[in-house]
Amino acid sequence: MRRAFVFVASALLLTACGSKTPPPPTPEQAAALRPADAKLAGLYETSCHACHATPGTGAPLVHDRAAWDPRWKQGEAVLLDHTIQGFNAMPATGQCVACTPGDFQGLIRFMAGREDSAK
């Protein structure tokens, strides 16, 4: 009996300590978000921002973890391929002809709220 109680209590504590998905940004917050890196911020502004900071475009909004997490689970390589090749309504290269694969990776991490790729 005591062992079962300890097990249930431990499971409840672990569940309570688990990280919750943060709420999506408001439209105003999404519009104001920019990567910390100046180069990426410029590329984001001219290519990604129009779709990923505007509700209703069909693109996952910047830092909306609920929208990005299922995509993130596919792996960064898949997201990078979708970005470069295009996928569904996403145009090839997101129309960023100046972006390198490293830039795309940084932009994807930023938009997915995964600047620390270990998250």
Side-chain angles (χ1 to χ4, degrees):
M1 173 81 161
R2 179 164 163 60
R3 181 189 273 177
F5 174 77
V6 170
F7 176 75
V8 170
S10 297
L12 289 173
L13 282 173
L14 288 174
T15 302
C17 293
S19 61
K20 292 184 178 180
T21 302
T26 65
E28 295 79 19
Q29 290 169 330
L33 289 168
R34 299 290 184 284
D37 178 89
K39 177 185 178 191
L40 290 181
L43 295 170
Y44 174 79
E45 183 66 34
T46 59
S47 296
C48 313
H49 185 264
C51 295
H52 291 280
T54 306
T57 63
L61 291 179
V62 61
H63 283 207
D64 183 349
R65 290 284 299 269
W68 278 99
D69 282 356
R71 292 165 171 88
W72 187 258
K73 287 179 184 175
Q74 296 176 64
E76 282 188 85
V78 170
L79 293 175
L80 182 60
D81 182 65
H82 287 173
T83 301
I84 293 171
Q85 301 299 319
F87 185 76
N88 293 332
M90 171 75 177
T93 70
Q95 299 183 338
C96 182
V97 296
C99 289
T100 67
D103 294 334
F104 286 129
Q105 188 174 36
L107 290 165
I108 292 166
R109 287 178 181 175
F110 163 71
M111 288 186 287
R114 303 286 186 150
E115 290 89 349
D116 173 2
S117 63
K119 288 183 183 176

